[in-house]
Amino acid sequence: MPKILPHTERFILIFNKLKNEKKLPSNEILAQKIGLNSGNSITEIKNRRQNIGMDVLQKFCDLYGKDNGFTMDAFTGNSPFSPDDHLNWERAVIKVLTHELAKVQSKLYNRPVEDCLEEIDKNTTLTLADLRRSDK
C-alpha cells in the first residue's frame, strides 16, 4: 500500500464532507469531470489505496472549491501546518474530526457546539489518564 500524502488526506476529508452534504455527483461522473479513468479511482483514493495527483486536485478545486470555500492552498501547504510535518498534520486531522463530532453531537442532543467540544476534551483527558495508569 502506498504512503498516503497529506494533500490526499485533505482531499479525502473534503470529499467526504461534500459527499455527506450531497454536493458531489456520483463517483463515476466526478471521475470524468476531474480527469480520472473511472469512479473506481475515486474509491481507491477515498479508501487510501492511491494518492490523488496535483493536476486532478487542481481540477477538483476549480470545479468545487469556490462554492464550498476552499482553494488549492488548502492542499499545498499555505496553512498553519506544513504538509511535511506529519505530527502537525495528524493534529490538524484530529481537530477537524473533533469539531465535526461536536457538530453532530450538538444537533443530536440539541446542545451548543462549544459544550460538546468541552465534553469531548474532558473525556479525552480522562482516557489519557487511564492509558497512563495502565502503562505502569
Side-chain angles (χ1 to χ4, degrees):
M1 216 175 267
K3 178 183 183 330
I4 298 304
L5 300 173
H7 68 270
T8 299
E9 290 287 354
R10 182 74 178 138
F11 169 79
I12 294 167
L13 289 173
I14 291 174
F15 171 85
N16 287 335
K17 179 181 183 298
L18 296 179
K19 248 332 188 185
N20 288 337
E21 295 172 355
K22 301 194 184 324
K23 293 182 176 179
L24 293 177
S26 70
N27 286 358
E28 194 66 35
I29 292 171
L30 178 61
Q32 289 172 359
K33 286 184 171 190
I34 62 176
L36 293 171
N37 294 332
S38 71
N40 288 339
S41 295
I42 300 282
T43 302
E44 291 296 301
I45 294 166
K46 185 179 76 150
N47 291 330
R48 294 173 173 80
R49 291 190 290 258
Q50 166 181 329
N51 283 298
I52 188 168
M54 296 305 270
D55 56 329
V56 174
L57 197 52
Q58 183 64 61
K59 289 178 189 170
F60 179 76
C61 290
D62 292 345
L63 288 169
Y64 300 100
K66 185 176 180 184
D67 292 340
N68 295 289
F70 64 89
T71 65
M72 198 62 181
D73 289 347
F75 301 96
T76 58
N78 293 337
S79 70
F81 301 103
S82 165
D84 296 325
D85 185 340
H86 183 71
L87 289 177
N88 278 341
W89 183 258
E90 292 297 321
R91 288 181 186 120
V93 169
I94 290 167
K95 284 185 82 74
V96 168
L97 293 175
T98 299
H99 198 268
E100 290 298 314
L101 174 62
K103 289 192 315 192
V104 169
Q105 287 180 342
S106 172
K107 288 179 183 175
L108 184 65
Y109 300 117
N110 197 25
R111 296 175 51 205
V113 172
E114 295 77 21
D115 290 355
C116 295
L117 281 169
E118 282 182 32
E119 188 171 326
I120 291 168
D121 284 343
K122 177 182 159 195
N123 289 336
T124 302
T125 302
L126 293 173
T127 301
L128 180 60
D130 288 344
L131 288 171
R132 285 181 177 157
R133 278 195 295 276
S134 68
D135 285 342
K136 293 180 180 183

